[in-house]
Amino acid sequence: MNFEQAHAAWLEDHLKRRKGERRSRLERGHAHAEKLFARNIWWEVKGNFDHLHPEYEVADWRGRPYFADFCYRLGRLKLLIEIKGYSTHVRDMDRTSFSRECNRETFLTGIGYTLISFSYDDVNAQPDLCITLLKLVLSNFEPQTMPSERTIFAENEVLRLALHLARPIRPIDVAKHFGINHRTAVKLLQTLTAKRKMRPSRISQGGKVMSYE
């Protein structure tokens, strides 16, 4: 089943299970940006729409309904995903709307949701970056069982370590973090460089890469 077939079947299944405003909201809300995310990002990461809910309704801190673009529910994970356009969420937002959005996001975090956002521009023009970031988030919750998945987990953990360090990362940092030898640490960093997720930061006179960013 290709994306178009899977997406149409998934959407139809959710429409059949909804009535009234919840159905109307799905018909109105799942538009171009949401479908673009579903195709460019989610389908590339998962290859299916299992456990993913479009236009997911939750109550905000005032008890009023709020519809997130997506919610991925699996086990203990309740991941809300928003696709934010610059005009709606930045340029045209007043102070009251901005405060409400901050309060809503904090409230949802407080009741157990994990909330992440992607800009429409990145979903459209930089899907590889969005894919990497989504995998990084999911790796905190989903078990890694297959060898290829363990490799992805290790790569994501290196990226996470680099972000925490807030400076160029060295092979010795990776080796200490994982408890692995220097050669394996270098290989991990080189793999990420080949995938254009990292780049050399400092190179010795002999051409040896000393650190990455």
Side-chain angles (χ1 to χ4, degrees), residues 8 12 18 29 55 59-60 67 77 91 93 147 150 168 170 206:
E12 182 63 26
R18 299 190 187 187
E55 292 300 313
D60 68 12
F67 289 86
L77 174 59
R91 188 186 64 195
M93 182 175 284
R150 287 199 297 270
R170 305 163 299 171

Side-chain angles (χ1 to χ4, degrees), residues 2 15 27 34 36 40 43 47 53 67 71 73 75 79-80 84 96 133 136-137 160 182 188 191 195 205 209 211:
N2 61 30
L15 284 168
E27 292 173 332
E34 290 75 21
L36 194 66
N40 286 2
W43 184 257
H53 304 266
F67 289 86
C71 182
R73 298 202 61 161
L79 178 65
L80 296 178
K84 295 186 176 182
T96 299
L133 294 174
L136 193 62
V137 172
R160 185 159 41 241
H182 180 82
L188 265 173
T191 298
K195 292 181 177 181
Q205 291 183 348
V209 179
S211 61

Side-chain angles (χ1 to χ4, degrees), residues 132-152:
T132 297
L133 294 174
L134 179 60
K135 286 181 177 179
L136 193 62
V137 172
L138 292 176
S139 70
N140 286 306
F141 302 95
E142 298 184 329
Q144 310 292 328
T145 55
M146 299 299 290
S148 60
E149 293 175 329
R150 287 199 297 270
T151 299
I152 293 171

Side-chain angles (χ1 to χ4, degrees), residues 4-127:
E4 291 295 341
Q5 293 170 326
H7 180 266
W10 168 71
L11 201 57
E12 182 63 26
D13 178 60
H14 280 275
L15 284 168
K16 286 179 179 178
R17 289 187 278 153
R18 299 190 187 187
K19 296 179 180 179
E21 176 58 23
R22 293 182 70 245
R23 180 185 173 95
S24 178
R25 180 63 189 234
L26 178 54
E27 292 173 332
R28 300 192 316 268
H30 191 78
H32 170 70
E34 290 75 21
K35 185 175 180 179
L36 194 66
F37 172 83
R39 180 178 63 239
N40 286 2
I41 315 304
W42 192 267
W43 184 257
E44 293 298 318
V45 173
K46 288 293 190 180
N48 61 64
F49 296 106
D50 297 347
H51 311 293
L52 184 69
H53 304 266
E55 292 300 313
Y56 186 81
E57 183 181 10
V58 292
D60 68 12
W61 81 101
R62 301 165 298 179
R64 297 180 181 179
Y66 159 69
F67 289 86
D69 291 332
F70 301 94
C71 182
Y72 181 55
R73 298 202 61 161
L74 181 63
R76 64 189 178 93
L77 174 59
K78 297 187 294 183
L79 178 65
L80 296 178
I81 304 170
E82 289 283 20
I83 314 305
K84 295 186 176 182
Y86 176 80
S87 59
T88 304
H89 290 273
V90 180
R91 188 186 64 195
D92 300 335
M93 182 175 284
D94 59 26
R95 288 180 177 273
T96 299
S97 298
F98 175 71
S99 295
R100 287 175 180 169
E101 182 164 319
C102 291
N103 291 337
R104 180 174 60 245
E105 292 177 353
T106 302
F107 173 77
L108 292 172
T109 299
I111 62 174
Y113 287 94
T114 298
L115 177 63
I116 61 174
S117 301
F118 296 95
S119 74
Y120 169 80
D121 291 344
D122 281 345
V123 169
N124 182 50
Q126 298 193 85

Side-chain angles (χ1 to χ4, degrees), residues 149-190:
E149 293 175 329
R150 287 199 297 270
T151 299
I152 293 171
F153 173 79
E155 292 174 1
N156 287 340
E157 186 65 18
V158 171
L159 293 173
R160 185 159 41 241
L161 175 62
L163 292 170
H164 280 303
L165 290 174
R167 60 164 172 78
I169 188 171
R170 305 163 299 171
I172 191 172
D173 298 319
V174 177
K176 287 182 177 180
H177 183 73
F178 285 102
I180 57 179
N181 61 46
H182 180 82
R183 181 177 297 180
T184 303
V186 170
K187 186 177 180 180
L188 265 173
L189 291 165
Q190 290 175 340

